[in-house]
Amino acid sequence: MEQSTLHRRGLGLRGVDHSLASPGYTLFAHLTSPGTVRLIANDGTEAHRWDLPYRPGRHARILPNGNLAYNGVHPESPRLFPLWQKYRGGVMQQIDPTGNVVHEHCDPLAHHDQHHMDNDEILYTTLEPLTEEQARSIPGGIPETEAPDGKVYADCIKHVDASGNLLWSWKVIENLDPTLFPLQPHYTRDHWPLINSVYPLQDGNILASLRSVSAVIIISRDTGKVIWHLDSTVVAQQHNASELDNGDILIFDNGTFRYRESATYSRVIQVSRSTKEIVWQYRDPHPMTFFTPFMGGAQRLQNGNTLITEAAFGRIFEVTMEGKICWEYVNPYFADYKGLDAKEIEDYFDYPANAMFRAYKYTPEQIPWLARE
């Protein structure tokens, strides 16, 4: 009998309602692959594939110019702490449809979200070590779980131009009050506050998701101050905060250690920026059956549907505004971390996985080169 629960539940295309699903193609990077990015049609077939020289440093996107924006794992990144091997990135490439690298920026300390902008500029998260005094100012977390070198590492956000010149930078240790953003008690103290997404807003400010303190914030580009804060009474170890056309904020809310709730489930929420009220959300009708403890994504599509990535289980599905699932696909490719230069986590994640960080969907008009192949 098949021993993998995910295999028994079914892989590949699980269903599609063509009358409701957005036409187009879904892009994802398999995290435990050597560097495979796939573009999947609505019928579940593979429409295009990239085999790249670096394993995924989280995710890939297609830019308005048709190129692939890919974040790969930097081969010379320092070995900071065990889970660093899971979520580090550092090689930020733009690749044309034929596989040629047309732009590249490297930062060995980059991690999680490396947001390629339309003009070859990149907004991304990176790390710096704190001084002993700064580290002592960070409350919370599991005692004595600093990095092996004894340090606490803190996030920075950088914005670089097409030539790699620094246009803007922001350090959490200089702009966040640690007493207002303490590490949650079940987190190790090696990384604070673990920014897992950065997004440039229409007004020029920066939206960021802070996982290990369960917060979504908006940073003033001019002053560096936090001008908007959604706290742990609303979100729980969330990911992929982005702005919608009307200014609302879309968030994948993982749900681990949710405020005043013992049942664990994930959801996607749309939050009004002006009132902080949840104006739309998707939860599974049986809430606990939709859950990923880490990673995850949500993308509002042109037809109003929402593409959702239940990341740890390789599941991508599309829902209407009424919450009806109209397309579902489960990554059928599995691998572990052996042979990927990630020995620190080979035993921790010692099973074949089909996980992905985040998926995106595109209409045929957004990738016209695909029709010419």
Side-chain angles (χ1 to χ4, degrees):
M1 180 176 177
E2 173 59 62
Q3 294 301 298
S4 167
T5 300
L6 293 179
H7 279 77
R8 288 199 311 275
R9 288 176 177 172
L11 304 174
L13 182 69
R14 308 305 304 142
V16 57
D17 183 337
H18 290 288
S19 69
L20 296 177
S22 170
Y25 303 87
T26 300
L27 182 81
F28 68 91
H30 180 196
L31 290 178
T32 49
S33 73
T36 305
V37 180
R38 289 182 169 89
L39 195 59
I40 302 296
N42 272 357
D43 64 1
T45 60
E46 184 178 293
H48 193 81
R49 170 176 169 170
W50 294 262
D51 290 302
L52 303 171
Y54 305 102
R55 73 174 168 95
R58 301 290 87 183
H59 65 288
R61 290 171 51 232
I62 293 177
L63 298 173
N65 64 10
N67 289 340
L68 182 76
Y70 180 68
N71 301 320
V73 169
H74 198 293
E76 299 175 6
S77 177
R79 327 290 288 203
L80 299 179
F81 44 86
L83 279 182
W84 175 246
Q85 293 303 327
K86 181 170 176 58
Y87 56 67
R88 67 188 177 93
V91 181
M92 302 163 236
Q93 295 180 317
Q94 190 176 144
I95 301 165
D96 71 18
T98 63
N100 297 312
V101 177
V102 297
H103 183 258
E104 180 174 288
H105 175 72
C106 292
D107 182 339
L109 293 179
H111 66 90
H112 278 96
D113 205 2
Q114 295 145 66
H115 186 95
H116 300 245
M117 302 167 77
D118 300 346
N119 56 1
D120 294 343
E121 297 176 1
I122 305 174
L123 182 73
Y124 68 95
T125 54
T126 185
L127 281 184
E128 67 171 358
L130 298 183
T131 66
E132 290 185 10
E133 181 179 2
Q134 289 171 332
R136 285 194 297 270
S137 75
I138 309 301
I142 303 168
E144 300 180 1
T145 56
E146 287 76 9
D149 60 7
K151 297 183 182 298
V152 173
Y153 289 84
D155 287 310
C156 310
I157 300 174
K158 292 184 177 181
H159 180 191
V160 296
D161 67 14
S163 300
N165 300 308
L166 187 65
L167 300 175
W168 181 82
S169 65
W170 184 85
K171 297 183 177 185
V172 293
I173 194 63
E174 295 177 356
N175 293 285
L176 287 190
D177 180 349
T179 63
L180 298 178
F181 295 88
L183 280 166
Q184 293 185 303
H186 43 277
Y187 264 98
T188 53
R189 290 182 49 79
D190 43 30
H191 187 174
W192 173 79
L194 208 160
I195 298 178
N196 57 32
S197 73
V198 286
Y199 192 93
L201 297 174
Q202 299 171 60
D203 62 10
N205 295 317
I206 308 299
L207 177 69
S209 166
L210 286 56
R211 173 174 161 83
S212 63
V213 301
S214 288
V216 176
I217 62 173
I218 294 176
I219 303 159
S220 167
R221 175 101 181 191
D222 293 332
T223 68
K225 302 299 183 184
V226 173
I227 57 176
W228 192 87
H229 176 197
L230 198 66
D231 66 18
S232 61
T233 64
V234 180
V235 290
Q237 301 189 19
Q238 73 298 319
H239 284 74
N240 195 199
S242 63
E243 184 184 28
L244 302 179
D245 290 342
N246 68 353
D248 287 353
I249 307 300
L250 190 69
I251 302 165
F252 187 96
D253 185 27
N254 292 73
T256 305
F257 301 103
R258 193 183 301 284
Y259 180 70
R260 291 184 174 177
E261 292 193 51
S262 58
T264 307
Y265 61 90
S266 295
R267 62 180 181 171
V268 173
I269 58 175
Q270 179 178 336
V271 179
S272 166
R273 183 168 168 180
S274 59
T275 67
K276 297 186 181 179
E277 293 179 355
I278 297 174
V279 297
W280 178 87
Q281 68 173 310
Y282 172 78
R283 299 197 311 175
D284 193 280
H286 187 313
M288 279 83 74
T289 60
F290 165 41
F291 173 67
T292 178
F294 42 79
M295 306 184 294
Q299 177 198 11
R300 181 61 47 80
L301 304 176
Q302 289 185 4
N303 70 347
N305 290 353
T306 303
L307 188 78
I308 300 173
T309 311
E310 190 178 7
F313 307 110
R315 178 179 177 233
I316 315 168
F317 61 103
E318 182 179 335
V319 301
T320 66
M321 289 298 287
E322 294 73 35
K324 184 175 182 179
I325 296 176
C326 56
W327 184 80
E328 182 181 23
Y329 178 89
V330 180
N331 179 18
Y333 305 99
F334 287 74
D336 58 27
Y337 279 99
K338 291 184 176 64
L340 297 180
D341 191 30
K343 293 187 180 299
E344 294 89 336
I345 55 174
E346 284 183 6
D347 292 335
Y348 191 85
F349 299 98
D350 62 349
Y351 49 87
N354 63 344
M356 60 193 72
F357 185 61
R358 186 190 302 167
Y360 289 94
K361 190 170 188 178
Y362 302 93
T363 64
E365 293 75 21
Q366 290 176 303
I367 37 178
W369 53 262
L370 189 61
R372 298 193 293 267
E373 290 193 337

